[in-house]
Amino acid sequence: MIKSKPFPAISDNQKLVADDFKRFSQTFRHILLRKVPTAQNVRFIFNEEELKTLFGKGESVDDLVALFRSVSNRSVEGRGIYHDYLMIPFDLTEETTVVALFSRVDPLFNKRVGDDWLSDVRNEVRDHFLLLKQARIDDQTGLFNSSNLYSILDNPLATQPVQLLVVEIPARSGSFQLVASHLHKCVLSLQTCIPEGAITHYLGNFVFAVLIEFQSENNKSKLANSLIAYFKREGFSRIHVGTSCRGRVDSDYVSGKTGRQLIDEAWTASRVATKRGPFSYCDFGLFAHPEKHPLVRPDSNLIRRLRRLWQESEHFCLVHFRSDDAGYSADQIVRPHLKKGTIVASETDLLVYFEGDSRDTILEWTENIVRHCRDIDGNKTVSAGVSCFPYSDFKKSEIPHNCLKALAHAAFFGDAGVALFDAVSLNISGDIYFSDGDLVKAVKEYKRGLKCDKINVNLHNSLGVTLALMGRFASAENCFEEALKLDEKSFMALYNLGLGELDSDRKVKAIAYFKRALACVVEEGMDESVLENDLKRQIGILASETGDCQMALDYLLPWHQTCEVTRLAEGVAYYIGKSYFALCQPMKAMEWLQRALRSYEYDDRAMHLLGQVYFEEEEGDDIALSLCQKSAELDPDNCVYRLDLAKIQLHCNMLPEAIGNLKQSLKSLELRTESQLFLAQSYLKIGQHKRALNWFNKVKSVNGANSDLYDNLKLCLTG
């Protein structure tokens, strides 16, 4: 008999769940208030604690809690009334009920409304809720779809600044099931690393849209770069991110955009990102308006004016003054105090040319001018970048651009900063291009910086990170090894060498590098809240995956206590549960695996392992069977899932189903012997002695774990 196979969809849009009343709470509330117009407000209550928090210690709270208990337990049919409050239950499952609490309802309405009318309203509203969910949720991923994205972006009441990230995570070519498995992994990873408050949508073809409140120009690349770093660590081969913003008060070109325009811009930026490397990012604002970039090349007219000055010169310096506030110009502040040098004005900035003076002399002069301007009026300060010729292999025409890089360097010192262009300036300019997603320009800056200072550890590390994102892993590894030769306690070199070992699936070596990097964090007193916690998490996860489960718990449990309110923290619940299971602590394993599933209900790893715990602890064969079946549906090519599901089916006398899964698990060389033994046992149970003997004879050798089964089968089949 041929049995159908389940379609590999993640989400089930055919019913309402409790989370729907949270995700669509505002829309659901509007629908209900239109049906009960005499109420002033309605909110959804999920448990008694919410009621107690909502009403505090008022006299009515105990009565309302008792009424909520009666309504949610179905002790009261259809509704619950208390003064001007009305409760209408929505039964989702036998265990789950969400109660709509109406407040300030007309008492006459509460008195006269009929149960039949309320029942009809509830059924009509429930159908409306379900249709809304089906229209706004993607079937395959369970995420919001493009219709929901347009609804948010084109809402006339939405006035807050927003940033849209279009994230493409291409799959390697393969079967439909492999592609579906990749999509599932993408969703799980996004759910883990996207910050609270961000809204994730699936647009199709492995393209996601993340909508988040826009914070500032300085932080606009932060989420994109953290996404890229996270997905690279998780073993994905490619990710491209394009961003666009709307509603920035300081940028006219982003205000008044429609939702379609915002999506088109972010999509265009993501197409540019695909050309920048396997792990890449592009912001549409900088791509479409390069003149706004802080390191935009100086105007050609300015270069021509300066060329007349340096044409015959063998040695000169150039100082670029810029105001620290757009409300005034550097020209106004600095010009009155200049008694030497040739002045070259550039819009609101001021450049001063010096012929023949030494670098140290000009740097000291510049610092005095900047300090003098600050002393006169502390509210009107200027910063300055100094660049001299000759320096390294730079041409004369590059000196004005080097001044801009020195200005970016000076910005690290705050207002009234001064910096002389050097290798550090090139590291900073490279970091600016890196943050913008322009990896090619970043590499050029880092390489030129190393020409100026071959023993600069930071430049070696920065170049290595950028090359790794471009897929040039061998060159990146050479950079990190060179940095480690220069400084054996270089945190970035150790950390990135660990990531390199992780990319090559050498997890034990990765742990060793990460431990050395962690020791550097502690010794050097770095920012523990970021670096130390991230390393502890990675070491703990890798320890769990390599079988050192006690080490995993030693790292993950303290880490989880410090980060338990974040989504990232819930992402390690599976590894903690897995470690407890391996250490023969099934009850603790069950607790953490259930927690992992509450965080993401389609986590196939947690489903599978929780099913094993239920089965081995005899907590319910039906639950174990259901969990393992669902995990195999989510990842149908996972041979471990197939084998473990078959064992439970054998126990439940579901022999044809078990045989089908055992044959699927034969694809794995590591599991083949065990699968053959269980196939022999299955055919023996259904009375097909010849087939059972045939599968038994295929077993070439047996390990200790299967020795009892082997001996029993040998006794039954060969006497």
Side-chain angles (χ1 to χ4, degrees), residues 687-715:
Q688 296 187 22
H689 189 277
K690 188 174 180 180
R691 281 193 174 184
L693 184 60
N694 183 43
W695 281 107
F696 179 77
N697 289 333
K698 289 182 179 181
V699 177
K700 303 299 182 184
S701 62
V702 65
N703 57 36
N706 296 319
S707 57
D708 290 341
L709 177 60
Y710 181 86
D711 292 340
N712 290 335
L713 287 171
K714 185 176 182 180
L715 182 64

PDB file of all heavy atoms in Angstrom, residues 687-715:
ATOM      1  N   GLY A 687       6.154 -11.745  10.693  1.00  0.00           N
ATOM      2  CA  GLY A 687       6.155 -13.139  10.264  1.00  0.00           C
ATOM      3  C   GLY A 687       6.866 -13.412   8.958  1.00  0.00           C
ATOM      4  O   GLY A 687       6.739 -14.509   8.408  1.00  0.00           O
ATOM      5  N   GLN A 688       7.629 -12.452   8.436  1.00  0.00           N
ATOM      6  CA  GLN A 688       8.367 -12.669   7.186  1.00  0.00           C
ATOM      7  C   GLN A 688       9.801 -13.065   7.533  1.00  0.00           C
ATOM      8  O   GLN A 688      10.736 -12.268   7.480  1.00  0.00           O
ATOM      9  CB  GLN A 688       8.313 -11.416   6.317  1.00  0.00           C
ATOM     10  CG  GLN A 688       6.904 -11.064   5.860  1.00  0.00           C
ATOM     11  CD  GLN A 688       6.882  -9.928   4.854  1.00  0.00           C
ATOM     12  OE1 GLN A 688       7.873  -9.661   4.182  1.00  0.00           O
ATOM     13  NE2 GLN A 688       5.729  -9.276   4.731  1.00  0.00           N
ATOM     14  N   HIS A 689       9.952 -14.351   7.903  1.00  0.00           N
ATOM     15  CA  HIS A 689      11.211 -14.870   8.423  1.00  0.00           C
ATOM     16  C   HIS A 689      12.337 -14.763   7.398  1.00  0.00           C
ATOM     17  O   HIS A 689      13.484 -14.413   7.732  1.00  0.00           O
ATOM     18  CB  HIS A 689      11.006 -16.334   8.843  1.00  0.00           C
ATOM     19  CG  HIS A 689      12.174 -16.908   9.579  1.00  0.00           C
ATOM     20  ND1 HIS A 689      13.289 -17.416   8.938  1.00  0.00           N
ATOM     21  CD2 HIS A 689      12.408 -17.044  10.920  1.00  0.00           C
ATOM     22  CE1 HIS A 689      14.152 -17.853   9.829  1.00  0.00           C
ATOM     23  NE2 HIS A 689      13.639 -17.636  11.045  1.00  0.00           N
ATOM     24  N   LYS A 690      12.041 -15.032   6.137  1.00  0.00           N
ATOM     25  CA  LYS A 690      13.075 -15.018   5.105  1.00  0.00           C
ATOM     26  C   LYS A 690      13.637 -13.612   4.908  1.00  0.00           C
ATOM     27  O   LYS A 690      14.854 -13.422   4.797  1.00  0.00           O
ATOM     28  CB  LYS A 690      12.487 -15.548   3.800  1.00  0.00           C
ATOM     29  CG  LYS A 690      13.523 -15.749   2.703  1.00  0.00           C
ATOM     30  CD  LYS A 690      12.893 -16.411   1.485  1.00  0.00           C
ATOM     31  CE  LYS A 690      13.941 -16.618   0.389  1.00  0.00           C
ATOM     32  NZ  LYS A 690      13.350 -17.273  -0.809  1.00  0.00           N
ATOM     33  N   ARG A 691      12.738 -12.618   4.849  1.00  0.00           N
ATOM     34  CA  ARG A 691      13.199 -11.234   4.698  1.00  0.00           C
ATOM     35  C   ARG A 691      13.981 -10.784   5.927  1.00  0.00           C
ATOM     36  O   ARG A 691      14.980 -10.069   5.816  1.00  0.00           O
ATOM     37  CB  ARG A 691      12.012 -10.301   4.480  1.00  0.00           C
ATOM     38  CG  ARG A 691      11.470 -10.319   3.070  1.00  0.00           C
ATOM     39  CD  ARG A 691      10.527  -9.153   2.851  1.00  0.00           C
ATOM     40  NE  ARG A 691      10.099  -9.062   1.473  1.00  0.00           N
ATOM     41  CZ  ARG A 691       9.326  -8.098   0.988  1.00  0.00           C
ATOM     42  NH1 ARG A 691       8.896  -7.140   1.805  1.00  0.00           N
ATOM     43  NH2 ARG A 691       8.977  -8.074  -0.279  1.00  0.00           N
ATOM     44  N   ALA A 692      13.511 -11.207   7.098  1.00  0.00           N
ATOM     45  CA  ALA A 692      14.217 -10.848   8.327  1.00  0.00           C
ATOM     46  C   ALA A 692      15.636 -11.408   8.300  1.00  0.00           C
ATOM     47  O   ALA A 692      16.606 -10.721   8.646  1.00  0.00           O
ATOM     48  CB  ALA A 692      13.457 -11.369   9.538  1.00  0.00           C
ATOM     49  N   LEU A 693      15.779 -12.664   7.876  1.00  0.00           N
ATOM     50  CA  LEU A 693      17.098 -13.293   7.810  1.00  0.00           C
ATOM     51  C   LEU A 693      17.980 -12.596   6.777  1.00  0.00           C
ATOM     52  O   LEU A 693      19.188 -12.412   6.986  1.00  0.00           O
ATOM     53  CB  LEU A 693      16.943 -14.775   7.466  1.00  0.00           C
ATOM     54  CG  LEU A 693      18.235 -15.601   7.444  1.00  0.00           C
ATOM     55  CD1 LEU A 693      18.909 -15.581   8.810  1.00  0.00           C
ATOM     56  CD2 LEU A 693      17.937 -17.033   7.004  1.00  0.00           C
ATOM     57  N   ASN A 694      17.365 -12.180   5.674  1.00  0.00           N
ATOM     58  CA  ASN A 694      18.114 -11.487   4.624  1.00  0.00           C
ATOM     59  C   ASN A 694      18.719 -10.183   5.152  1.00  0.00           C
ATOM     60  O   ASN A 694      19.898  -9.886   4.916  1.00  0.00           O
ATOM     61  CB  ASN A 694      17.186 -11.213   3.444  1.00  0.00           C
ATOM     62  CG  ASN A 694      17.917 -10.552   2.287  1.00  0.00           C
ATOM     63  OD1 ASN A 694      19.030 -10.939   1.953  1.00  0.00           O
ATOM     64  ND2 ASN A 694      17.288  -9.561   1.681  1.00  0.00           N
ATOM     65  N   TRP A 695      17.923  -9.403   5.894  1.00  0.00           N
ATOM     66  CA  TRP A 695      18.438  -8.146   6.452  1.00  0.00           C
ATOM     67  C   TRP A 695      19.468  -8.419   7.541  1.00  0.00           C
ATOM     68  O   TRP A 695      20.464  -7.697   7.658  1.00  0.00           O
ATOM     69  CB  TRP A 695      17.294  -7.299   7.019  1.00  0.00           C
ATOM     70  CG  TRP A 695      16.534  -6.554   5.962  1.00  0.00           C
ATOM     71  CD1 TRP A 695      15.290  -6.819   5.502  1.00  0.00           C
ATOM     72  CD2 TRP A 695      17.019  -5.438   5.213  1.00  0.00           C
ATOM     73  NE1 TRP A 695      14.937  -5.938   4.507  1.00  0.00           N
ATOM     74  CE2 TRP A 695      15.995  -5.067   4.312  1.00  0.00           C
ATOM     75  CE3 TRP A 695      18.202  -4.717   5.196  1.00  0.00           C
ATOM     76  CZ2 TRP A 695      16.121  -4.017   3.421  1.00  0.00           C
ATOM     77  CZ3 TRP A 695      18.338  -3.660   4.312  1.00  0.00           C
ATOM     78  CH2 TRP A 695      17.301  -3.316   3.433  1.00  0.00           C
ATOM     79  N   PHE A 696      19.263  -9.475   8.311  1.00  0.00           N
ATOM     80  CA  PHE A 696      20.215  -9.810   9.371  1.00  0.00           C
ATOM     81  C   PHE A 696      21.574 -10.192   8.781  1.00  0.00           C
ATOM     82  O   PHE A 696      22.629  -9.820   9.305  1.00  0.00           O
ATOM     83  CB  PHE A 696      19.661 -10.960  10.217  1.00  0.00           C
ATOM     84  CG  PHE A 696      20.583 -11.394  11.327  1.00  0.00           C
ATOM     85  CD1 PHE A 696      20.694 -10.645  12.485  1.00  0.00           C
ATOM     86  CD2 PHE A 696      21.358 -12.547  11.200  1.00  0.00           C
ATOM     87  CE1 PHE A 696      21.549 -11.033  13.504  1.00  0.00           C
ATOM     88  CE2 PHE A 696      22.213 -12.937  12.211  1.00  0.00           C
ATOM     89  CZ  PHE A 696      22.306 -12.181  13.365  1.00  0.00           C
ATOM     90  N   ASN A 697      21.553 -10.920   7.672  1.00  0.00           N
ATOM     91  CA  ASN A 697      22.806 -11.366   7.053  1.00  0.00           C
ATOM     92  C   ASN A 697      23.593 -10.217   6.421  1.00  0.00           C
ATOM     93  O   ASN A 697      24.783 -10.361   6.130  1.00  0.00           O
ATOM     94  CB  ASN A 697      22.516 -12.433   5.991  1.00  0.00           C
ATOM     95  CG  ASN A 697      22.086 -13.749   6.623  1.00  0.00           C
ATOM     96  OD1 ASN A 697      22.451 -14.045   7.762  1.00  0.00           O
ATOM     97  ND2 ASN A 697      21.303 -14.534   5.898  1.00  0.00           N
ATOM     98  N   LYS A 698      22.918  -9.069   6.182  1.00  0.00           N
ATOM     99  CA  LYS A 698      23.618  -7.919   5.612  1.00  0.00           C
ATOM    100  C   LYS A 698      24.491  -7.202   6.638  1.00  0.00           C
ATOM    101  O   LYS A 698      25.346  -6.390   6.278  1.00  0.00           O
ATOM    102  CB  LYS A 698      22.613  -6.917   5.031  1.00  0.00           C
ATOM    103  CG  LYS A 698      21.934  -7.409   3.761  1.00  0.00           C
ATOM    104  CD  LYS A 698      20.984  -6.354   3.207  1.00  0.00           C
ATOM    105  CE  LYS A 698      20.327  -6.857   1.918  1.00  0.00           C
ATOM    106  NZ  LYS A 698      19.416  -5.845   1.330  1.00  0.00           N
ATOM    107  N   VAL A 699      24.258  -7.497   7.900  1.00  0.00           N
ATOM    108  CA  VAL A 699      25.034  -6.844   8.955  1.00  0.00           C
ATOM    109  C   VAL A 699      26.437  -7.429   8.968  1.00  0.00           C
ATOM    110  O   VAL A 699      26.632  -8.613   9.217  1.00  0.00           O
ATOM    111  CB  VAL A 699      24.354  -7.027  10.331  1.00  0.00           C
ATOM    112  CG1 VAL A 699      25.218  -6.411  11.427  1.00  0.00           C
ATOM    113  CG2 VAL A 699      22.970  -6.413  10.322  1.00  0.00           C
ATOM    114  N   LYS A 700      27.435  -6.589   8.670  1.00  0.00           N
ATOM    115  CA  LYS A 700      28.822  -7.057   8.596  1.00  0.00           C
ATOM    116  C   LYS A 700      29.486  -7.084   9.968  1.00  0.00           C
ATOM    117  O   LYS A 700      30.278  -7.955  10.280  1.00  0.00           O
ATOM    118  CB  LYS A 700      29.626  -6.148   7.660  1.00  0.00           C
ATOM    119  CG  LYS A 700      29.041  -6.053   6.256  1.00  0.00           C
ATOM    120  CD  LYS A 700      29.002  -7.396   5.559  1.00  0.00           C
ATOM    121  CE  LYS A 700      28.453  -7.271   4.137  1.00  0.00           C
ATOM    122  NZ  LYS A 700      28.320  -8.595   3.491  1.00  0.00           N
ATOM    123  N   SER A 701      29.191  -6.077  10.766  1.00  0.00           N
ATOM    124  CA  SER A 701      29.755  -6.004  12.117  1.00  0.00           C
ATOM    125  C   SER A 701      28.773  -5.261  12.991  1.00  0.00           C
ATOM    126  O   SER A 701      27.879  -4.575  12.505  1.00  0.00           O
ATOM    127  CB  SER A 701      31.111  -5.284  12.105  1.00  0.00           C
ATOM    128  OG  SER A 701      30.950  -3.955  11.653  1.00  0.00           O
ATOM    129  N   VAL A 702      28.919  -5.400  14.289  1.00  0.00           N
ATOM    130  CA  VAL A 702      27.977  -4.779  15.207  1.00  0.00           C
ATOM    131  C   VAL A 702      28.746  -4.140  16.352  1.00  0.00           C
ATOM    132  O   VAL A 702      29.735  -4.681  16.833  1.00  0.00           O
ATOM    133  CB  VAL A 702      26.960  -5.818  15.730  1.00  0.00           C
ATOM    134  CG1 VAL A 702      27.639  -6.882  16.558  1.00  0.00           C
ATOM    135  CG2 VAL A 702      25.859  -5.146  16.538  1.00  0.00           C
ATOM    136  N   ASN A 703      28.301  -2.928  16.746  1.00  0.00           N
ATOM    137  CA  ASN A 703      28.969  -2.281  17.877  1.00  0.00           C
ATOM    138  C   ASN A 703      28.266  -2.650  19.179  1.00  0.00           C
ATOM    139  O   ASN A 703      27.225  -3.311  19.183  1.00  0.00           O
ATOM    140  CB  ASN A 703      29.000  -0.755  17.684  1.00  0.00           C
ATOM    141  CG  ASN A 703      27.604  -0.171  17.492  1.00  0.00           C
ATOM    142  OD1 ASN A 703      26.643  -0.637  18.096  1.00  0.00           O
ATOM    143  ND2 ASN A 703      27.496   0.845  16.649  1.00  0.00           N
ATOM    144  N   GLY A 704      28.819  -2.189  20.280  1.00  0.00           N
ATOM    145  CA  GLY A 704      28.304  -2.574  21.589  1.00  0.00           C
ATOM    146  C   GLY A 704      26.875  -2.166  21.826  1.00  0.00           C
ATOM    147  O   GLY A 704      26.118  -2.861  22.505  1.00  0.00           O
ATOM    148  N   ALA A 705      26.464  -1.027  21.256  1.00  0.00           N
ATOM    149  CA  ALA A 705      25.118  -0.520  21.510  1.00  0.00           C
ATOM    150  C   ALA A 705      24.052  -1.452  20.953  1.00  0.00           C
ATOM    151  O   ALA A 705      22.933  -1.500  21.449  1.00  0.00           O
ATOM    152  CB  ALA A 705      24.965   0.872  20.901  1.00  0.00           C
ATOM    153  N   ASN A 706      24.390  -2.200  19.894  1.00  0.00           N
ATOM    154  CA  ASN A 706      23.403  -3.064  19.253  1.00  0.00           C
ATOM    155  C   ASN A 706      23.631  -4.545  19.556  1.00  0.00           C
ATOM    156  O   ASN A 706      22.994  -5.403  18.952  1.00  0.00           O
ATOM    157  CB  ASN A 706      23.451  -2.867  17.729  1.00  0.00           C
ATOM    158  CG  ASN A 706      23.046  -1.464  17.327  1.00  0.00           C
ATOM    159  OD1 ASN A 706      22.117  -0.916  17.892  1.00  0.00           O
ATOM    160  ND2 ASN A 706      23.765  -0.890  16.381  1.00  0.00           N
ATOM    161  N   SER A 707      24.551  -4.838  20.456  1.00  0.00           N
ATOM    162  CA  SER A 707      24.929  -6.238  20.656  1.00  0.00           C
ATOM    163  C   SER A 707      23.770  -7.077  21.189  1.00  0.00           C
ATOM    164  O   SER A 707      23.586  -8.224  20.765  1.00  0.00           O
ATOM    165  CB  SER A 707      26.126  -6.332  21.605  1.00  0.00           C
ATOM    166  OG  SER A 707      25.817  -5.710  22.846  1.00  0.00           O
ATOM    167  N   ASP A 708      22.955  -6.532  22.097  1.00  0.00           N
ATOM    168  CA  ASP A 708      21.827  -7.298  22.637  1.00  0.00           C
ATOM    169  C   ASP A 708      20.812  -7.616  21.549  1.00  0.00           C
ATOM    170  O   ASP A 708      20.315  -8.751  21.447  1.00  0.00           O
ATOM    171  CB  ASP A 708      21.147  -6.520  23.769  1.00  0.00           C
ATOM    172  CG  ASP A 708      22.024  -6.438  25.009  1.00  0.00           C
ATOM    173  OD1 ASP A 708      22.960  -7.263  25.125  1.00  0.00           O
ATOM    174  OD2 ASP A 708      21.779  -5.550  25.853  1.00  0.00           O
ATOM    175  N   LEU A 709      20.473  -6.599  20.737  1.00  0.00           N
ATOM    176  CA  LEU A 709      19.527  -6.817  19.646  1.00  0.00           C
ATOM    177  C   LEU A 709      20.088  -7.835  18.657  1.00  0.00           C
ATOM    178  O   LEU A 709      19.370  -8.721  18.182  1.00  0.00           O
ATOM    179  CB  LEU A 709      19.236  -5.492  18.938  1.00  0.00           C
ATOM    180  CG  LEU A 709      18.314  -5.550  17.719  1.00  0.00           C
ATOM    181  CD1 LEU A 709      16.943  -6.104  18.098  1.00  0.00           C
ATOM    182  CD2 LEU A 709      18.170  -4.163  17.088  1.00  0.00           C
ATOM    183  N   TYR A 710      21.375  -7.732  18.364  1.00  0.00           N
ATOM    184  CA  TYR A 710      22.019  -8.666  17.434  1.00  0.00           C
ATOM    185  C   TYR A 710      21.944 -10.094  17.971  1.00  0.00           C
ATOM    186  O   TYR A 710      21.589 -11.034  17.238  1.00  0.00           O
ATOM    187  CB  TYR A 710      23.473  -8.247  17.228  1.00  0.00           C
ATOM    188  CG  TYR A 710      24.243  -9.126  16.262  1.00  0.00           C
ATOM    189  CD1 TYR A 710      24.201  -8.889  14.894  1.00  0.00           C
ATOM    190  CD2 TYR A 710      25.006 -10.194  16.729  1.00  0.00           C
ATOM    191  CE1 TYR A 710      24.901  -9.696  14.007  1.00  0.00           C
ATOM    192  CE2 TYR A 710      25.706 -11.006  15.856  1.00  0.00           C
ATOM    193  CZ  TYR A 710      25.656 -10.754  14.489  1.00  0.00           C
ATOM    194  OH  TYR A 710      26.349 -11.561  13.619  1.00  0.00           O
ATOM    195  N   ASP A 711      22.259 -10.257  19.247  1.00  0.00           N
ATOM    196  CA  ASP A 711      22.247 -11.604  19.843  1.00  0.00           C
ATOM    197  C   ASP A 711      20.841 -12.193  19.844  1.00  0.00           C
ATOM    198  O   ASP A 711      20.648 -13.385  19.554  1.00  0.00           O
ATOM    199  CB  ASP A 711      22.799 -11.547  21.265  1.00  0.00           C
ATOM    200  CG  ASP A 711      24.290 -11.205  21.292  1.00  0.00           C
ATOM    201  OD1 ASP A 711      24.951 -11.394  20.249  1.00  0.00           O
ATOM    202  OD2 ASP A 711      24.773 -10.742  22.341  1.00  0.00           O
ATOM    203  N   ASN A 712      19.840 -11.373  20.168  1.00  0.00           N
ATOM    204  CA  ASN A 712      18.458 -11.863  20.184  1.00  0.00           C
ATOM    205  C   ASN A 712      17.996 -12.281  18.793  1.00  0.00           C
ATOM    206  O   ASN A 712      17.342 -13.321  18.616  1.00  0.00           O
ATOM    207  CB  ASN A 712      17.521 -10.793  20.741  1.00  0.00           C
ATOM    208  CG  ASN A 712      17.718 -10.572  22.229  1.00  0.00           C
ATOM    209  OD1 ASN A 712      18.176 -11.473  22.937  1.00  0.00           O
ATOM    210  ND2 ASN A 712      17.383  -9.378  22.708  1.00  0.00           N
ATOM    211  N   LEU A 713      18.336 -11.450  17.794  1.00  0.00           N
ATOM    212  CA  LEU A 713      17.947 -11.780  16.425  1.00  0.00           C
ATOM    213  C   LEU A 713      18.672 -13.031  15.932  1.00  0.00           C
ATOM    214  O   LEU A 713      18.089 -13.873  15.235  1.00  0.00           O
ATOM    215  CB  LEU A 713      18.247 -10.597  15.502  1.00  0.00           C
ATOM    216  CG  LEU A 713      17.316  -9.388  15.633  1.00  0.00           C
ATOM    217  CD1 LEU A 713      17.861  -8.209  14.833  1.00  0.00           C
ATOM    218  CD2 LEU A 713      15.909  -9.735  15.152  1.00  0.00           C
ATOM    219  N   LYS A 714      19.929 -13.153  16.302  1.00  0.00           N
ATOM    220  CA  LYS A 714      20.701 -14.335  15.890  1.00  0.00           C
ATOM    221  C   LYS A 714      20.082 -15.599  16.459  1.00  0.00           C
ATOM    222  O   LYS A 714      19.965 -16.632  15.771  1.00  0.00           O
ATOM    223  CB  LYS A 714      22.144 -14.184  16.363  1.00  0.00           C
ATOM    224  CG  LYS A 714      23.064 -15.307  15.891  1.00  0.00           C
ATOM    225  CD  LYS A 714      24.503 -15.037  16.321  1.00  0.00           C
ATOM    226  CE  LYS A 714      25.426 -16.137  15.811  1.00  0.00           C
ATOM    227  NZ  LYS A 714      26.838 -15.897  16.220  1.00  0.00           N
ATOM    228  N   LEU A 715      19.638 -15.502  17.703  1.00  0.00           N
ATOM    229  CA  LEU A 715      19.014 -16.654  18.350  1.00  0.00           C
ATOM    230  C   LEU A 715      17.692 -17.012  17.677  1.00  0.00           C
ATOM    231  O   LEU A 715      17.393 -18.190  17.438  1.00  0.00           O
ATOM    232  CB  LEU A 715      18.789 -16.341  19.834  1.00  0.00           C
ATOM    233  CG  LEU A 715      18.180 -17.457  20.683  1.00  0.00           C
ATOM    234  CD1 LEU A 715      19.133 -18.664  20.744  1.00  0.00           C
ATOM    235  CD2 LEU A 715      17.893 -16.958  22.097  1.00  0.00           C
TER     236      LEU A 715
END
